[in-house]
Amino acid sequence: MSEYQIIVTVQGVDKVGIVAEVTAALAKYEVNIEDIKQTLMQGHFVMFLLGNIEHSKYSFKEIKQALLDVGTKLGMEVWVQKKEIVDSMHNI
């Protein structure tokens, strides 16, 4: 299952609309949100999201670029990784 899962990390100065913009992009690219966690630390927003791209007609590369574009628009740092790669890094 993790071959279809992606991990999205978003961080930066808190502002209105971060979650809305990121989740709207995920919906547009047919990514199912399986888990989401966010926190605010002294005005600094951090979000971790687990998504599933199994039923998306878009490639991982297209989805990643769309999310990076959202990050640029919002002035936030965004990282998008395949979960299976993150998992294998922790097994070394």
Side-chain angles (χ1 to χ4, degrees), residues 33-50:
I33 298 170
E34 295 184 341
D35 198 1
I36 186 170
K37 303 245 185 300
Q38 66 184 51
T39 191
L40 191 59
M41 296 183 293
Q42 299 180 357
H44 195 79
F45 176 89
V46 181
M47 178 173 73
F48 301 101
L49 185 145
L50 179 65

Side-chain angles (χ1 to χ4, degrees), residues 9-11 15 18 21-22 64-79:
T9 307
V10 180
Q11 66 97 18
K15 62 186 80 166
I18 299 168
E21 290 281 346
V22 171
K64 180 177 181 175
Q65 188 58 57
L67 292 168
L68 294 177
D69 292 345
V70 168
T72 299
K73 176 182 174 184
L74 293 171
M76 307 288 287
E77 294 286 335
V78 176
W79 295 273

Side-chain angles (χ1 to χ4, degrees), residues 71-89:
T72 299
K73 176 182 174 184
L74 293 171
M76 307 288 287
E77 294 286 335
V78 176
W79 295 273
V80 184
Q81 301 170 299
K82 291 184 177 183
K83 185 175 183 296
E84 65 183 349
I85 292 173
V86 173
D87 289 345
S88 32
M89 285 177 9

